[in-house]
Each structure stands twice: as C-alpha cells, then as structure tokens.
Amino acid sequence: MIALLLDLSNILGGLLLALPLLLMIPNGGGEQAGRWISRLDPFAWIVGVVALVTGGYYLIVHLTSGPHLFHFEVVGIAVGVILLWDRITGKRPLRPAGGEVQGAALLLAIFGVIAVLVGLQGLFTPN
C-alpha cells in the first residue's frame, strides 16, 4: 500500500510540476488538462508530504535491509521537497509568469515529466 502511495504521489507531483509544459502542447487538450491539474494545485502540499514520507520510509528500509537504493524513492523525496518548497521557504517554486518556460522553470517541468514516468514505472514494477 505504501508503494502505491509513493507511485501515485510521483505521478500527481510530476503532473503538478510539468503543468507549464503540458499547457504548451498545441492541439493536445492542454487547456482542459491544465485546468484539471491546476485544481490539484491547492493540495500540492499534501502530495508533497505523502511523497516525502513514503520516499523517506523506503529510503530507510532499502538502506538498512537492502537490496539497494532505488530511483523511485529518490525521485519521491525530490518531488516532495519541490512541492513543499513554498511551505519551507515562504517562496513559490519557479512557476513561469507568462507563457514562456525557460531556465530553472523548464528544468522543474522536465523533472515533473521524469517523475510521472518513474511513477508509472513503479506501478508496473513488482515489489
């Protein structure tokens, strides 16, 4: 059950981080998908807490009893920290103000796509 929470938090957190890139897809339903994902934005801190707790749990378990550290928990911890960044520092993470996605905001959006892929991979990987 905890592995499912980690995978779902990676997927939802990745979608929240990749939202600027999703909105740039031409004729791909980006506006509709963007509205759906942006409804989750007020609850991003909950997704971040779940990602941190489950990723931290599996980090401790896999470092102490093996077999080795997996990328699922590392990505989960990173997603959790990024989503909780405004609660930790008081500043919003790098969200583009206009329609352009450049620099660090682009890196966060690309990391969001990677987090979605890692979450999907985790759903189909046996525990």
Side-chain angles (χ1 to χ4, degrees):
M1 185 68 178
I2 295 176
L4 179 65
L5 286 175
L6 177 62
D7 297 333
L8 291 178
S9 65
N10 277 340
I11 292 169
L12 289 176
L15 285 173
L16 287 168
L17 292 175
L19 183 61
L21 282 180
L22 293 175
L23 291 176
M24 292 177 57
I25 298 173
N27 299 327
E31 289 295 320
Q32 205 169 29
R35 281 188 297 232
W36 181 78
I37 296 169
S38 62
R39 287 183 193 161
L40 295 175
D41 202 33
F43 305 105
W45 68 274
I46 296 172
V47 175
V49 168
V50 171
L52 269 179
V53 169
T54 56
Y57 169 76
Y58 277 113
L59 178 79
I60 292 169
V61 166
H62 289 145
L63 284 178
T64 58
S65 65
H68 56 80
L69 185 65
F70 291 100
H71 61 286
F72 306 108
E73 53 254 18
V74 174
V75 170
I77 291 171
V79 165
V81 168
I82 293 169
L83 289 177
L84 290 172
W85 191 254
D86 62 334
R87 303 261 178 178
I88 295 170
T89 63
K91 296 187 283 187
R92 292 284 297 163
L94 304 164
R95 295 278 183 160
E100 296 182 14
V101 182
Q102 309 176 15
L106 179 63
L107 288 176
L108 280 180
I110 291 171
F111 179 74
V113 172
I114 293 169
V116 169
L117 294 175
V118 166
L120 289 174
Q121 180 189 12
L123 286 177
F124 297 107
T125 301
N127 291 340

